[in-house]
Amino acid sequence: MQNRRDFLKKAGMASAAAAGTTALATPYVHAQSPIRWRLQTYAGAALAEHVVKPAIDAFNKAANGEMEIELYYADQLVPTGELFRAMQNGTIDAVQSDDDSMAAPVDVSVFGGYFPFATRYSLDVQALFYKHGLAEIWEEAYGEVEGVTWLSAGSWDPCHFNTKEPIKSLEDLKGKRVFTFPTAGKFLSRFGVVPVTLPWEDVEVAVQTGELDGIAWSGITEDYTVGWADVTPYLLTNNICGAWVGSFFANSDRWNEVPDHLKQLFRLAMDSSHYYRLHWYWAGEADLRVNGGKMELTTIPDAEWATVEAEAEKFWDEIAAEGGRKERVVQILRNYRSLMQKAGPPYRYG
């Protein structure tokens, strides 16, 4: 009997100690600081409200205190052209941008943003990346760069000109000072356009002061959303690309520190962001052309615009001639275009 009493006494003490340990351990786990990231987008505040903020807000809520992402807008922490280096050295943890604008030191960066006539519709981007092999090429390219992990690509809007004066012919483009993306600007300079680089937030004022004659950075949805429709009363319906290609990136060390379940949650948030933009832009591009009321639509005749498309073929050849992954990407773009043309409507018309 004495042995039983001693056993029960010791067992009770052990159970109490275990319970105490559990009681102490649980608050400790919940009290630990969440993982905190700073993510900077290429977009200004008004545009970011649509292209990234809903997804980040949803992630933060779903992460339930385990992780929190602080969102910063264009040039808020570092200039857009320095985003890659800032992420690489850990000044910021993640980025939403195109490869081209942030000067990513990879050979495929030329295809980020607006590569002339690479796409016709927004869905082309997702199809090219996740069905036709571009995602694997991007992973390969960034796998060779220390400190940065490419995570996911998606599509934005088509690239139109919005200008202070109407554009009705290629001659009207000559000498126009235009805010645009690096590769798009390089291509457009063949038609007399003068590409201008400015901080995103300065663009509207630059149009008003005469520093800029127009913008080739977006479709009509963004023109209305960010206020450019108030200072550029004309929209050229011809576009040089059907969708902007942008991606999410992260500092590799910070990404590797994230538990697998939060990585998966962030991937779902990125997919949510991609999906939101698909319907937001698609609906806006049509509705605002018809019902916007602020911008007059102009068009360069098809026969004349065909010379721009022909010049894009030469541009593709020049990029492909540099070899390596660039040649592989251009070949994928050509194969995809051929497939869409053979498929016919609604994939391609004419």
Side-chain angles (χ1 to χ4, degrees):
M1 182 63 70
Q2 183 62 38
N3 288 341
R4 288 180 62 190
R5 288 194 190 101
D6 290 341
F7 172 77
L8 291 171
K9 182 178 180 181
K10 290 176 182 177
M13 292 174 65
S15 298
T21 301
T22 302
L24 289 172
T26 301
Y28 171 75
V29 170
H30 286 297
Q32 289 188 42
S33 297
I35 298 168
R36 294 191 182 277
W37 271 15
R38 299 198 300 175
L39 184 154
Q40 183 171 312
T41 177
Y42 75 99
L47 181 58
E49 285 288 332
H50 294 278
V51 302
V52 66
K53 191 175 184 295
I56 298 303
D57 287 346
F59 174 87
N60 287 338
K61 184 176 182 179
N64 198 30
E66 293 183 66
M67 183 169 174
E68 184 175 346
I69 298 175
E70 298 172 359
L71 179 61
Y72 294 88
Y73 305 127
D75 306 306
Q76 197 169 359
L77 295 178
V78 298
T80 297
E82 298 176 16
L83 279 175
F84 186 92
R85 297 300 181 192
M87 176 171 44
Q88 190 177 44
N89 65 31
T91 302
I92 53 179
D93 305 298
V95 165
Q96 181 201 45
S97 175
D98 68 290
D99 320 68
D100 196 24
S101 295
M102 70 174 189
V106 294
D107 47 8
V108 296
S109 64
V110 68
F111 301 104
Y114 291 119
F115 189 70
F117 297 96
T119 58
R120 180 72 63 86
Y121 306 118
S122 52
L123 277 174
D124 290 339
V125 174
Q126 272 82 348
L128 282 162
F129 270 84
Y130 301 107
K131 177 66 176 178
H132 293 271
L134 292 193
E136 290 78 7
I137 292 177
W138 257 245
E139 288 174 348
E140 177 187 300
Y142 283 92
E144 297 173 1
V145 178
E146 185 177 356
V148 170
T149 299
W150 173 82
L151 297 175
S152 180
S155 64
W156 274 252
D157 50 340
C159 184
H160 292 268
F161 285 88
N162 50 300
T163 53
K164 294 168 68 175
E165 298 177 356
I167 305 296
K168 298 181 179 180
S169 70
L170 291 180
E171 186 66 27
D172 293 336
L173 289 175
K174 291 182 178 178
K176 294 292 188 295
R177 294 158 296 179
V178 172
F179 173 71
T180 190
F181 293 89
T183 296
K186 183 179 179 182
F187 175 69
L188 291 172
S189 66
R190 300 183 178 207
F191 304 95
V193 171
V194 180
V196 178
T197 301
L198 290 171
W200 189 91
E201 293 287 356
D202 294 343
V203 171
E204 184 173 345
V205 173
V207 173
Q208 292 172 302
T209 61
E211 187 178 353
L212 289 175
D213 300 303
I215 303 164
W217 203 84
S218 70
I220 197 170
T221 307
E222 287 190 17
D223 294 338
Y224 276 80
T225 301
V226 306
W228 292 342
D230 297 323
V231 296
T232 54
Y234 297 98
L235 179 91
L236 180 66
T237 60
N238 313 78
N239 69 60
I240 66 165
C241 194
W244 187 76
V245 179
S247 293
F248 287 88
F249 308 83
N251 175 278
S252 297
D253 289 340
R254 297 309 308 277
W255 177 248
N256 292 335
E257 292 168 3
V258 175
D260 286 343
H261 70 289
L262 290 177
K263 284 181 179 177
Q264 188 60 45
L265 183 61
F266 190 64
R267 292 189 186 282
L268 290 171
M270 290 187 290
D271 286 344
S272 172
S273 176
H274 297 329
Y275 170 70
Y276 181 102
R277 290 191 312 273
L278 281 176
H279 65 75
W280 182 64
Y281 279 121
W282 184 258
E285 295 302 300
D287 179 62
L288 291 170
R289 284 191 183 198
V290 177
N291 300 313
K294 294 181 180 179
M295 305 183 81
E296 180 181 334
L297 307 182
T298 66
T299 302
I300 295 175
D302 290 345
E304 190 174 0
W305 191 249
T307 64
V308 181
E309 297 184 7
E311 192 63 33
E313 284 295 314
K314 298 177 185 177
F315 189 78
W316 285 25
D317 288 339
E318 293 167 11
I319 297 299
E322 297 177 25
R325 278 186 290 259
K326 290 182 179 179
E327 185 176 14
R328 289 162 57 194
V329 172
V330 170
Q331 190 58 55
I332 287 172
L333 294 178
R334 287 197 159 119
N335 292 345
Y336 179 78
R337 182 177 60 187
S338 175
L339 177 68
M340 294 295 104
Q341 289 170 338
K342 290 176 182 176
Y347 298 97
R348 294 294 186 269
Y349 292 86

